[in-house]
Amino acid sequence: MAAISFAAPWILRRAVQTFSLPQPLLHLNPGSCFHGTHRPFTFPTSLRHTASGICHLIQAVKGNFDDLLKGVGDKNAIEEVKHILEMARRASSRREVLHSDFLTPPVLKESMTALEKLADVKAVAQGGYPQAERCRLSVGHPEALTSDPDIVAALSITGNFGFEPCSHGDFLGSILGTGIAREKIGDIILQGEKGAQFLVVPELADYLITSLEKVGNVSVSCTRIPLLALEYEPPRTKSFKTIEASLRVDALASAGFKLSRSKLVNLISNGDVRVNWTTVTKNGTTLKTGDIVSVSGKGRIKIGEINSTRKGKFAVELIQYL
């Protein structure tokens, strides 16, 4: 699909420039203004046609906007992607930069795919650290979005977790218990006995510092830290190989998660299998190197190197996230 532009003023200028008018439409003397009494003004015939053309152009842009939503693979993400596209349209037309809340990986992926098709929109995703899954999206006209905005803050939760370890859900539940919506919170990085670090929209950092007092039964303190102080580690993985007759998702995922083919097919039918964070609906979806397959409650695997065997099968490296 060709790049789409939301720049309505540009459309208007181009439409008007397509006609050569013998005289200016309005002649304003120095110091004159648009308020006051003026004779009624009537569009020349050619310009009336132009105005009609502008309507068609704007309708075409809207039509292409709808086409972008039709291209969203994960239907559960459509409404959120629509919100991002509308935000991008406002930001571009006003020459400003707008920011989303933290987005889930499927919504971020679908939004970035749609935004790449827009000619006058630049998008920057930030989650606070390189491996972040939940990210905020900044969108705007390229002339306005010239640097990465400061839209993510990091907080550290410390307490005596040696005798009462807390899970990701414990930390998330306590944070949300202060009254903050989930979309205002990014990733949570567990630190064992030391506690956890997490990302948040900057405007809520001070509120959390004063409001978060306990996680589970552990009294805690919450402080702001630089993003560079985040202590994250690359995910731990283990690799193994499988020989399969095809690269179908039901074949590779059943091997990767040690599940029967019939069990995997049922999980696909229930919407519990995702490829690159997009829900899979067909058992025969073909995978390739670099694809990430996740199964609800089972974790995720990454497709590594793929080689053909002498017998016409595929030797596939599967990388399991621990």
Side-chain angles (χ1 to χ4, degrees):
M1 181 185 296
I4 302 166
S5 172
F6 282 146
W10 178 86
I11 293 174
L12 293 174
R13 289 197 299 272
R14 286 295 301 269
V16 172
Q17 289 169 358
T18 58
F19 291 87
S20 176
L21 300 178
Q23 296 179 352
L25 297 180
L26 285 176
H27 177 72
L28 298 179
N29 293 322
S32 65
C33 58
F34 284 103
H35 63 270
T37 303
H38 295 283
R39 291 180 298 171
F41 175 72
T42 303
F43 283 106
T45 302
S46 59
L47 193 56
R48 286 201 297 271
H49 292 167
T50 303
S52 175
I54 292 170
C55 292
H56 289 305
L57 284 169
I58 294 174
Q59 288 170 1
V61 170
K62 184 180 184 300
N64 287 329
F65 182 85
D66 293 337
D67 288 341
L68 290 178
L69 292 176
K70 291 178 183 178
V72 174
D74 189 339
K75 301 308 177 185
N76 295 323
I78 286 181
E79 286 303 315
E80 291 180 85
V81 174
K82 180 180 179 180
H83 172 72
I84 296 298
L85 291 175
E86 291 173 343
M87 184 175 69
R89 178 176 58 185
R90 293 196 306 271
S92 179
S93 63
R94 299 173 183 174
R95 292 295 199 276
E96 61 184 0
V97 178
L98 298 177
H99 316 289
S100 73
D101 289 325
F102 284 96
L103 305 176
T104 61
V107 173
L108 179 64
K109 173 180 174 290
E110 296 287 0
S111 297
M112 292 297 285
T113 299
L115 290 170
E116 286 173 356
K117 298 181 175 69
L118 305 181
D120 55 353
V121 172
K122 180 180 178 181
V124 176
Q126 297 183 83
Y129 65 106
Q131 283 82 25
E133 290 194 355
R134 297 175 62 86
C135 295
R136 298 188 72 185
L137 199 56
S138 300
V139 293
H141 192 278
E143 295 177 359
L145 186 53
T146 57
S147 61
D148 293 348
D150 184 15
I151 58 171
V152 179
L155 297 181
S156 175
I157 302 174
T158 56
N160 186 10
F161 293 97
F163 297 101
E164 189 172 344
C166 288
S167 66
H168 182 282
D170 294 326
F171 283 98
L172 178 60
S174 296
I175 294 169
L176 299 183
T178 65
I180 289 180
R182 180 65 179 99
E183 57 268 22
K184 302 296 182 182
I185 305 298
D187 286 1
I188 298 174
I189 305 171
L190 300 182
Q191 294 185 294
E193 295 182 1
K194 293 191 296 182
Q197 298 171 333
F198 68 100
L199 291 306
V200 64
V201 295
E203 55 267 27
L204 293 178
D206 289 341
Y207 171 77
L208 280 166
I209 289 172
T210 58
S211 301
L212 187 60
E213 298 178 343
K214 277 193 172 185
V215 175
N217 295 319
V218 179
S219 296
V220 300
S221 61
C222 186
T223 57
R224 187 163 183 166
I225 60 174
L227 292 178
L228 292 176
L230 288 170
E231 299 177 7
Y232 61 90
E233 297 180 359
R236 294 183 299 116
T237 63
K238 71 174 183 179
S239 301
F240 57 95
K241 289 189 176 182
T242 182
I243 305 296
E244 301 295 334
S246 75
L247 299 176
R248 290 164 51 116
V249 63
D250 55 354
L252 297 185
S254 62
F257 294 102
K258 312 297 183 186
L259 298 172
S260 68
R261 183 77 68 89
S262 60
K263 175 65 174 177
L264 204 286
V265 169
N266 288 335
L267 289 170
I268 292 176
S269 299
N270 294 333
D272 292 327
V273 179
R274 293 176 179 267
V275 175
N276 300 326
W277 296 284
T278 298
T279 301
V280 173
T281 58
K282 296 180 180 179
N283 305 338
T285 299
T286 300
L287 301 180
K288 62 184 183 301
T289 297
D291 284 344
I292 294 178
V293 183
S294 57
V295 175
S296 298
K298 303 293 183 181
R300 69 182 63 172
I301 61 171
K302 184 177 182 178
I303 309 302
E305 186 178 358
I306 301 174
N307 293 301
S308 297
T309 69
R310 292 181 179 179
K311 295 183 178 181
K313 294 188 176 183
F314 298 95
V316 183
E317 178 190 22
L318 299 178
I319 304 168
Q320 183 179 15
Y321 290 85
L322 303 177

